[in-house]
Amino acid sequence: MPLRSTATARQERLGAELRKMREAAGITARDTARLLGTDPAKVSHIEAGRLGVSEERLRRLAAFYECGDTALIDALVAMANGQGRKGWWETYRGVVPAALLDVAELEHHAAHLRTIQITHIPGVFQTEDYTRTVFGYAIPPLPENELEARVAQRLERSGVLYRDAAPPYEALVHEAALRMRFGGGKVAQAQLEHIQELSHLPHISVRVIPFAADGHIGSGHAMLYASGPVRPLDTVQIDSAHGISFLHAAPHLANYRVLYDTLAEVALDRARSREFIHSISRDL
């Protein structure tokens, strides 16, 4: 396969799992190269996601590394077999930042999605006007064509909620995010009404963390937790002042599962959350 100039987060993840598997077996890249009849540099490219790997090679590697986790191997094979297929997000490559495309790809392949949002409405729940306002606050300001492309790409991401066999989506949204008036009262009100509509879909859970909730002070941290076909392939996506990051080390995944469960304990249930959102909307 040709060498990629850049790798998506999903391609990097496949390579990283192969590297973890090799290192757990105590096998060097040089030994792996001998098995594949290639050189260590190509093994490095495979493990960095810059070079694809066939199903036959992947299964040979798993056997060589004595990996007995058949569910993980099958999941990695599925990832490898799908590397040549382009998702809808690829139409935006070179137009919007690659990390935003990686988020869309992550959501597309997830078996289950959970998010915590403190100051913003979850991306896939956002209306067009709300999204345009949020991106309009970028510093420095975005060129008009890039602003419109980001809005279109974010709106298209919401398709994950409506497709056949859509993944369960659980959102913990802080009251602060609900009270932010991005775009003014009318935009904010329309956004809250949209969330209420989504909350009636059976696979979507929207729960509010009110200001009055106890026990979560200092725990608030926005994140998206995407469950893979097997737990070792779960991924956490977080935003920071320096950009988007993807975490998949086992300790990180465990910590964010605890964070989500901790905040879920103090959040209102679905029915009370719907009423709470309605009361905020009514006051706008």
Side-chain angles (χ1 to χ4, degrees):
M1 291 187 179
L3 193 65
R4 305 183 182 104
S5 57
T6 58
T8 69
R10 185 170 171 82
Q11 290 163 348
E12 290 177 350
R13 182 62 184 279
L14 173 59
E17 291 302 318
L18 290 174
R19 185 183 66 251
K20 289 180 190 177
M21 203 182 291
R22 176 179 62 76
E23 291 175 346
I27 293 173
T28 67
R30 187 173 296 278
D31 289 335
T32 296
R34 290 195 188 100
L35 172 76
L36 299 179
T38 186
D39 58 82
K42 285 193 176 179
V43 173
S44 178
H45 287 314
I46 289 173
E47 294 181 350
R50 294 187 293 268
L51 190 62
V53 58
S54 67
E55 176 178 349
E56 185 272 334
R57 274 194 164 186
L58 196 155
R59 292 193 182 279
R60 283 182 66 198
L61 290 173
F64 186 52
Y65 300 151
E66 298 184 348
C67 177
D69 190 338
T70 56
L72 173 60
I73 295 169
D74 288 344
L76 292 176
V77 166
M79 289 176 69
N81 288 341
Q83 286 188 343
R85 302 171 195 157
K86 291 189 175 182
W88 63 264
W89 50 87
E90 289 296 334
T91 61
Y92 294 92
R93 191 163 298 281
V95 182
V96 303
L100 296 181
L101 310 187
D102 288 336
V103 173
E105 186 176 30
L106 179 68
E107 291 170 334
H108 177 81
H109 291 286
H112 193 129
L113 291 160
R114 286 176 286 177
T115 190
I116 299 169
Q117 293 296 328
I118 308 300
T119 59
H120 291 78
I121 301 302
V124 293
F125 292 175
Q126 293 179 9
T127 64
E128 181 175 349
D129 288 337
Y130 184 99
T131 297
R132 181 169 283 104
T133 300
V134 170
F135 282 130
Y137 288 159
I139 301 175
L142 297 170
E144 186 66 22
N145 63 331
E146 184 172 343
L147 172 65
E148 292 303 318
R150 289 197 189 195
V151 171
Q153 192 264 349
R154 175 159 291 183
L155 293 177
E156 200 162 351
R157 273 178 54 198
S158 66
V160 72
L161 302 176
Y162 304 105
R163 74 184 192 208
D164 294 339
Y169 200 109
E170 300 178 46
L172 300 179
V173 183
H174 198 280
E175 182 179 347
L178 300 172
R179 292 192 179 277
M180 294 283 190
R181 297 195 178 191
F182 291 109
K186 289 185 178 180
V187 171
Q189 187 174 53
Q191 176 63 77
L192 295 181
E193 291 172 355
H194 182 58
I195 292 175
Q196 290 180 80
E197 293 173 3
L198 290 173
S199 71
H200 286 282
L201 296 177
H203 64 290
I204 295 178
S205 169
V206 180
R207 298 177 59 198
V208 176
I209 305 169
F211 286 129
D214 294 327
H216 75 284
I217 297 174
S219 300
H221 191 82
M223 67 95 178
L224 174 67
Y225 191 107
S227 298
V230 293
R231 178 163 282 188
L233 293 182
D234 291 357
T235 301
V236 168
Q237 178 260 315
I238 58 174
D239 296 321
S240 72
H242 305 291
I244 292 173
S245 299
F246 298 91
L247 309 176
H248 47 75
H252 290 150
L253 296 175
N255 286 342
Y256 278 97
R257 286 195 296 269
V258 171
L259 172 63
Y260 187 92
D261 292 342
T262 299
L263 294 181
E265 288 180 1
V266 300
L268 303 178
D269 63 27
R270 294 176 68 175
R272 291 173 62 201
S273 293
R274 198 174 293 122
E275 294 171 0
F276 194 94
I277 295 170
H278 178 68
S279 69
I280 296 175
S281 175
R282 187 180 55 215
D283 292 340
L284 288 174

